[in-house]
Amino acid sequence: MRTEITDYLTAPNLISSLAQAILNDPKPGQKVEFESCDTDLDVFDFDEDSTTVNPDPPSKGQNINFGLAGALSDEMNLTNIHIHVDWNSSPLYDEDHAVTEGPFTGDDFYYPLEWFVPSYAFNGLYQIQLRGTQPDGQSVMCINAAFAF
């Protein structure tokens, strides 16, 4: 069996990685860029216009305060938000944030989330994935964010 270079173009991880690299490449001093990502259950529709970041652009030595916003098509039993951070395409940081306010119902969803950026944070591109899961592990929310120092 012969493998052609074009065979790799149909690989979903390659395409996803390339799309993320193209969509999320802000320069230092630019505002945070967002996009939604795939989930196991289709109950959350990310609302980029209503999502907030303070400060925007983020600053070293301060908290980043996110206001995650979207619309719900059904009840969302969000119990954990996993925060994964890549720095210049290399894994840097993982944290689980327990969510105790759910389940969430209604049309609108808003959830505040913050974490501290140390003053010694490296310069470069930070790509963050915020993946929300319910108790059985299925993802119900996914947001990609990116910024640079």
Side-chain angles (χ1 to χ4, degrees):
M1 176 175 180
R2 183 173 174 193
T3 303
E4 300 290 332
I5 189 70
T6 54
D7 294 340
Y8 293 103
L9 295 178
T10 61
N13 291 339
L14 176 63
I15 299 301
S16 175
S17 296
L18 289 173
Q20 183 174 3
I22 291 167
L23 294 173
N24 291 328
D25 197 10
K27 303 296 181 219
Q30 290 182 333
K31 292 183 177 233
V32 175
E33 301 218 2
F34 290 100
E35 68 182 3
S36 62
C37 39
D38 291 336
T39 59
D40 296 323
L41 302 176
D42 192 21
V43 297
F44 175 77
D45 185 26
F46 175 60
D47 185 347
E48 184 175 354
D49 293 333
S50 298
T51 294
T52 60
V53 180
N54 186 26
D56 193 11
S59 297
K60 294 179 183 182
Q62 294 185 12
N63 283 333
I64 297 178
N65 296 287
F66 286 98
L68 307 175
L72 300 177
S73 61
D74 200 352
E75 180 178 276
M76 183 170 70
N77 192 13
L78 177 67
T79 56
N80 184 69
I81 298 176
H82 180 76
I83 302 165
H84 174 80
V85 179
D86 285 341
W87 169 73
N88 288 340
S89 300
S90 296
L92 176 68
Y93 176 79
D94 283 283
E95 175 183 300
D96 285 307
H97 176 81
V99 177
T100 59
E101 294 83 351
F104 297 91
T105 58
D107 294 335
D108 296 325
F109 171 83
Y110 181 85
Y111 189 79
L113 182 66
E114 75 173 32
W115 74 88
F116 183 73
V117 177
S119 59
Y120 54 84
F122 304 114
N123 287 336
L125 178 64
Y126 288 79
Q127 293 173 303
I128 299 133
Q129 185 173 82
L130 306 166
R131 182 170 293 278
T133 55
Q134 60 185 22
D136 65 4
Q138 289 188 302
S139 61
V140 292
M141 178 189 81
C142 187
I143 301 169
N144 289 328
F147 61 88
F149 291 122

